[in-house]
Amino acid sequence: MLRTALRNVLAHKARLMMTALAVLLGVAFVAGTLIFSDTVGEAVKKASAKSLDGVAVSVQAVDAEDGPRTDKNGKRSTLLDDKLADKVRALPGVQSLRRDVTGTATLAGPDGIPIGNGWQNLAANFQPDKDGHDARYPLLRGRGPATGNEIALDEATAEAAHYKVGDTVRFATDGPVLTKKLVGIVTTDDPQVTTGGSLALFDTATAQKLYLHPGQFDELVVGAAPGTDQQALTAKVRELLPKDRAEATSGTALAAEQSRMVTAQNKALSQTLLVFAGIALFVGIFIIANTFTMLISQRSREIALLRAVGASRRQVVRSVLAEAGLLGLLSSVVGFGLGTAIAVGLRAVLDANGAGFPDGPVIISPTTVLSSLAVGIGVTVLAAWLPSRKAAKIAPVEALNTVEAPPAPRSLVIRNSLGALVTGLGVAVMFYVATLTSSDDLPIAMMGSMLTLTGVIILAPLLSRPLVSLAGILTTRLFGIGGKLATQNALRNPRRTAATASALMIGLTLITGMTVVGNSTQQAMDKMTANGLTADYKVGTSTYTGLDPALSKKVADLPGVAAMAPLRSTGFEAGGHFTSLNGTDLATIGKVARLDFTSGSPARAGAGEIAVSQSAAKENGWRAGETVEATFDDKKKEKLTIAGVYADNPVVGDAFGATSLVDPHMTQLKNEELLVKTQGSPTLETEKQIRHALGDSPLLKVQDHADLRKENAGQIDTVLYVVYGLLGMAIVIAVVGVVNTLAMSVFERTREIGMLRAIGLARSGIKQMVRLESVVLSLFGAVLGIGVGIFLSWAGGSLVGKGLPTYELLLPWGRLGLFLLLALVVGVLAALWPARRAARLNMLEAIGAQ
């Protein structure tokens, strides 16, 4: 029987080719994901470990519970000073000591666009030895910074900004633009820098002036003498530290923590990619099962002969499963090779788009190899199991008398009953989900979606009759006999039609659902911006470090500015609920934000009054005129009067009051945003004036309504395009399934096609018939997929509503129409080879085929 299985694989190479391609693509997705994850993870781990070379103990300042300790000017303060550093350096076993100051600095490129990636734009102090070199930051060109007007950059940052030694570098830390002379270019293995960030180096005194206070440090890095016990040295260092203000960690513990963090980050990415790989393989199951069902129908006489000469049912099952196993093995081996290429290509693409992964070899672990092969073989064997059971049940005499017996009516009745039950349960769960409003209920929505999709897949043979018949009316009217024959061929075997269409339906369901939710979310965010913000500009910083209030006042005095309202926030607790409170200019806030009061009146400055949103009032049970006892973030208590309640507005948030009410409770006086209303239409000149008034910092974000909409759309579109790309593999596999089904269907109908040719149907008519059958199959899958996707997005959209009060289901008819058009194109393209093959059949040979 094993020899029979091997012979069948070799004898049906062409028929199994498309099935092998489906398995190959699915395994490639899995293998590529695992190899990419292992490769990047190992590279980052090695880079992290290299950055910790020579670190025996790390002493770091500890932040307070409410964040870093800062003064009114925003300068951080630590107890790691020269005095403590000298004590640590004097300990037995200490060979070296680095005194690090760290912060962030965003550099401006030649076109003014910031270089790097937000919080990964690191800054530190250059600590030269007697030869002027810093072992942590090896010099490539020039020298290290030594005075207050000098700076050094890492090589990648200098190249990105087109800076050379001797140039003047423009950058910002938390406010106006600063300039310093570039005196050196260094290299670094810091993963934060190599993965898309930047590095700026200053002399120690300058770094302290920018980020701390003179004589203070963020970290003391201890190097141990050879033979020194790290744990013992760590314990000695710990004894010197002020309680709750600093902590000592051994280099071994730091390396372990970094490794854990890298593993966790890669795990999230890998799991996401594997979910989409699983979808692709799930789609492949339909194709494999379809193929083996058709092959067994075509080989029923052969199986009957095997049974007649003594083969048992178990042997027949084993033979089919062995055939599937061989196919899965061969496909998995090729798929694994393709997966390796995908992993290398994915890393290159992400690097080209600024991911900046550390260099390192491609990692192919035994676990990855075995997992990929096991998945490919397992999925193929699993998909072939039911067809093998069907083959074993063929009665020898019955099979010798007929080529293909129709499926028992009872089996479809059972299937339809089960499908109705599962679909009904899934729909009921999704109707329940439609009443929920919290994103915490997402698992329930996922379960309901899976049940609904599974139920529709089971019901697909039943649904195929009315939908395909409806399509047949159109094809018959437009294409005559070719359209009628195509419809009858699609209806001849509802199971096969359903399995082929389901593969396409799964991918389109997910794509449609994501598209509808994404489009609705984007429209809701646009509506919030349009309804809540009447200002022409929203001004902030890319790093959320805030804006200097003194500079902010200059914006209000600019010619052409009609009104400007600052926003700076704190928070308070009252009645067990936390509420964020925005401080603003009460005289101008109504000119830059749309405030619709449902009760009470706007707050008054100096009266301890605040206005609250309807959501906050409902959650806390507040009413206009009520006084509440509030405990602010700084633990100070104050009585606040609810002056009025306004319709929810994202611009001013939960509550707002005068800046004089908020300022005493802020550790650092900074405006988070400025809302600017101009006297006329916003112009480029006005934007330049605002930037200039705020110091032309590269941190600035000056956005008008179009910019805000573009930012929202960009974020959502990025997610959608990633999903389209990842689900693209499933769609490709589904297309392969359509080609496979048509090709094998043409083989089954060889005699029928010969008879059609004999009675006068031209070759062009045969091609048209096969093409239309392919189009009907594709459109059936597309209609089911789009329909289910819309339903799931409608029910699950309620989970977005709480965070977006303006959310409502809005169908992107253009994209949905494009999906249908793509399904039509898929149908035409998938039929090219099968239609050509059918049309080229020799008429007499076809009629005589068995």
Side-chain angles (χ1 to χ4, degrees):
M1 297 302 292
L2 288 174
R3 286 198 298 271
T4 301
L6 180 60
R7 180 186 63 79
N8 285 330
V9 171
L10 297 175
H12 303 107
K13 294 187 291 291
R15 295 183 227 173
L16 291 172
M17 181 174 62
M18 290 298 173
T19 304
L21 184 58
V23 180
L24 183 153
L25 292 173
V27 171
F29 206 155
V30 173
T33 298
L34 295 176
I35 294 172
F36 172 78
S37 177
D38 289 344
T39 299
V40 172
E42 188 63 23
V44 175
K45 283 182 182 179
K46 286 184 177 179
S48 299
K50 189 173 182 180
S51 67
L52 292 173
D53 281 350
V55 179
V57 184
S58 170
V59 181
Q60 295 182 329
V62 176
D63 291 336
E65 291 183 2
D66 57 350
R69 295 175 170 86
T70 58
D71 59 19
K72 289 290 184 180
N73 297 319
K75 292 291 185 66
R76 291 181 289 109
S77 180
T78 78
L79 292 185
L80 304 186
D81 53 18
D82 287 314
K83 184 177 179 181
L84 178 62
D86 291 338
K87 289 182 180 179
V88 173
R89 182 67 181 86
L91 286 173
V94 174
Q95 186 177 52
S96 63
L97 182 72
R98 285 188 62 89
R99 310 178 189 209
D100 289 344
V101 180
T102 57
T104 60
T106 302
L107 279 71
D111 51 3
I113 297 176
I115 300 296
N117 187 16
W119 293 107
Q120 292 180 248
N121 294 334
L122 303 183
N125 57 322
F126 187 85
Q127 301 176 58
D129 56 20
K130 60 182 180 179
D131 296 322
H133 297 284
D134 187 334
R136 186 169 184 177
Y137 305 112
L139 282 164
L140 281 178
R141 292 181 291 279
R143 58 176 177 81
T147 64
N149 66 340
E150 295 178 344
I151 189 173
L153 302 176
D154 69 285
E155 184 179 25
T157 301
E159 288 180 357
H162 304 295
Y163 283 131
K164 300 186 295 294
V165 173
D167 289 347
T168 298
V169 176
R170 298 176 67 249
F171 69 97
T173 56
D174 64 352
V177 68
L178 303 173
T179 58
K180 295 187 185 298
K181 182 181 179 181
L182 181 62
V183 296
I185 295 177
V186 303
T187 60
T188 179
D189 294 313
D190 192 315
Q192 290 192 68
V193 179
T194 57
T195 55
S198 64
L199 175 66
L201 297 174
F202 310 98
D203 67 285
T204 299
T206 302
Q208 289 173 332
K209 181 179 179 182
L210 288 172
Y211 304 108
L212 291 169
H213 294 278
Q216 293 185 355
F217 307 97
D218 288 299
E219 182 180 15
L220 303 178
V221 180
V222 180
T228 302
D229 182 83
Q230 269 195 17
Q231 301 304 323
L233 182 58
T234 303
K236 291 178 182 178
V237 171
R238 201 170 282 144
E239 292 175 359
L240 300 175
L241 303 181
K243 188 177 181 181
D244 299 329
R245 298 296 298 271
E247 62 181 6
T249 309
S250 68
T252 304
L254 281 176
E257 177 64 15
Q258 282 196 2
S259 177
R260 185 194 64 78
M261 291 175 62
V262 169
T263 301
Q265 291 170 354
N266 284 338
K267 184 178 180 181
L269 175 60
S270 298
Q271 287 177 341
T272 301
L273 293 174
L274 285 175
V275 166
F276 288 95
I279 293 171
L281 287 169
F282 184 61
V283 169
I285 287 176
F286 290 92
I287 299 169
I288 300 164
N290 230 8
T291 300
F292 276 94
T293 298
M294 296 170 75
L295 282 175
I296 286 166
S297 296
Q298 295 166 16
R299 286 161 34 199
S300 56
R301 287 179 178 273
E302 177 187 325
I303 294 172
L305 285 172
L306 290 173
R307 292 293 313 283
V309 298
S312 66
R313 290 186 175 184
R314 184 173 296 179
Q315 285 178 310
V316 172
V317 171
R318 288 175 179 172
S319 175
V320 175
L321 293 183
E323 186 177 342
L326 288 171
L327 177 67
L329 177 61
L330 294 173
S331 303
S332 298
V333 170
V334 179
F336 185 83
L338 178 60
T340 304
I342 289 175
V344 174
L346 179 60
R347 182 176 176 182
V349 169
L350 292 176
D351 275 338
N353 285 275
F357 294 118
D359 293 332
V362 176
I363 305 297
I364 301 178
S365 67
T367 303
T368 297
V369 176
L370 294 176
S371 298
S372 301
L373 294 179
V375 165
I377 296 171
V379 165
T380 310
V381 171
L382 176 65
W385 183 72
L386 284 177
S388 72
R389 298 274 295 177
K390 179 182 177 182
K393 291 179 181 179
I394 296 176
V397 174
E398 182 182 347
L400 289 170
N401 290 331
T402 181
V403 175
E404 182 180 3
R410 177 177 173 78
S411 62
L412 278 178
V413 171
I414 295 174
R415 175 171 179 159
N416 292 339
S417 301
L418 177 62
L421 178 64
V422 176
T423 304
L425 181 60
V427 170
V429 172
M430 293 311 294
F431 273 115
Y432 170 68
V433 169
T435 65
L436 305 176
T437 57
S438 173
S439 57
D440 295 336
D441 297 314
L442 184 60
I444 301 176
M446 294 177 65
M447 180 186 70
S449 300
M450 291 179 62
L451 285 172
T452 304
L453 185 58
T454 303
V456 173
I457 290 171
I458 299 173
L459 276 179
L462 179 64
L463 298 173
S464 67
R465 290 196 175 277
L467 292 177
V468 172
S469 297
L470 185 62
I473 296 174
L474 181 62
T475 56
T476 301
R477 287 184 178 179
L478 293 177
F479 302 100
I481 190 64
K484 186 174 183 179
L485 288 172
T487 303
Q488 291 177 346
N489 288 333
L491 290 172
R492 179 182 301 183
N493 192 329
R495 293 183 174 189
R496 182 184 304 168
T497 298
T500 305
S502 293
L504 186 60
M505 180 195 76
I506 294 168
L508 280 177
T509 295
L510 298 174
I511 287 176
T512 299
M514 290 294 294
T515 300
V516 172
V517 172
N519 177 74
S520 301
T521 301
Q522 180 180 319
Q523 296 296 327
M525 295 175 74
D526 286 349
K527 188 181 294 185
M528 286 175 64
T529 301
N531 292 346
L533 184 68
T534 57
D536 295 307
Y537 293 105
K538 178 186 283 189
V539 184
T541 59
S542 58
T543 54
Y544 306 100
T545 49
L547 300 162
D548 186 348
L551 292 176
S552 302
K553 291 179 181 178
K554 294 182 179 180
V555 175
D557 297 331
L558 289 174
V561 171
M564 187 279 289
L567 290 177
R568 44 187 185 257
S569 68
T570 183
F572 66 86
E573 185 178 342
H577 295 92
F578 177 81
T579 303
S580 62
L581 175 64
N582 275 309
T584 188
D585 185 344
L586 298 179
T588 58
I589 187 64
K591 299 177 182 179
V592 296
R594 182 172 286 108
L595 300 175
D596 299 322
F597 280 84
T598 58
S599 64
S601 59
R604 294 173 299 166
E609 293 183 348
I610 62 172
V612 299
S613 67
Q614 281 183 315
S615 296
K618 182 179 180 180
E619 183 178 3
N620 292 277
W622 292 333
R623 294 183 179 180
E626 184 178 348
T627 299
V628 298
E629 184 77 25
T631 303
F632 283 84
D633 290 343
D634 58 359
K635 308 306 180 185
K636 294 178 182 178
K637 295 184 178 181
E638 190 170 341
K639 288 185 178 181
L640 301 175
T641 301
I642 309 298
V645 178
Y646 56 87
D648 288 358
N649 186 316
V651 176
V652 292
D654 294 340
F656 70 88
T659 53
S660 58
L661 178 64
V662 171
D663 291 353
H665 304 287
M666 296 183 67
T667 55
Q668 183 181 358
L669 200 58
K670 287 287 185 84
N671 289 322
E672 294 174 5
E673 290 179 346
L674 304 180
L675 307 179
V676 182
K677 178 75 173 177
T678 62
Q679 293 175 352
S681 301
T683 63
L684 183 60
E685 183 61 31
T686 303
E687 181 178 338
K688 289 181 178 179
Q689 289 178 352
I690 293 173
R691 287 184 174 277
H692 183 69
L694 294 172
D696 284 324
S697 170
L699 300 176
L700 284 175
K701 289 175 67 176
V702 182
Q703 298 172 294
D704 59 17
H705 284 250
D707 293 327
L708 292 171
R709 282 193 293 269
K710 185 177 179 181
E711 184 177 64
N712 295 336
Q715 293 171 352
I716 294 172
D717 285 344
T718 297
V719 173
L720 287 179
Y721 291 146
V722 169
V723 170
Y724 291 164
L726 293 174
L727 287 176
M729 186 71 75
I731 299 296
V732 170
I733 293 175
V735 174
V736 169
V738 176
V739 177
N740 197 30
T741 298
L742 288 174
M744 298 189 73
S745 180
V746 167
F747 179 84
E748 277 186 351
R749 304 201 308 263
T750 299
R751 291 187 65 186
E752 177 185 318
I753 292 171
M755 292 295 294
L756 289 172
R757 292 277 290 112
I759 61 176
L761 189 62
R763 292 183 187 272
S764 60
I766 297 294
K767 286 184 178 181
Q768 184 185 72
M769 177 186 71
V770 176
R771 288 196 197 105
L772 289 175
E773 182 181 353
S774 176
V775 168
V776 167
L777 286 173
S778 299
L779 288 179
F780 172 51
V783 169
L784 274 185
I786 292 173
V788 175
I790 291 174
F791 170 71
L792 296 181
S793 61
W794 166 79
S798 62
L799 302 181
V800 186
K802 187 175 181 180
L804 285 173
T806 54
Y807 181 90
E808 60 179 328
L809 186 73
L810 295 171
L811 298 181
W813 293 110
R815 290 196 183 188
L816 297 182
L818 180 61
F819 295 161
L820 279 175
L821 180 61
L822 287 175
L824 180 66
V825 173
V826 163
V828 173
L829 295 178
L832 289 178
W833 177 57
R836 184 170 179 270
R837 185 173 182 272
R840 295 183 65 179
L841 288 174
N842 182 280
M843 185 191 311
L844 295 179
E845 290 179 359
I847 293 173
Q850 297 294 324

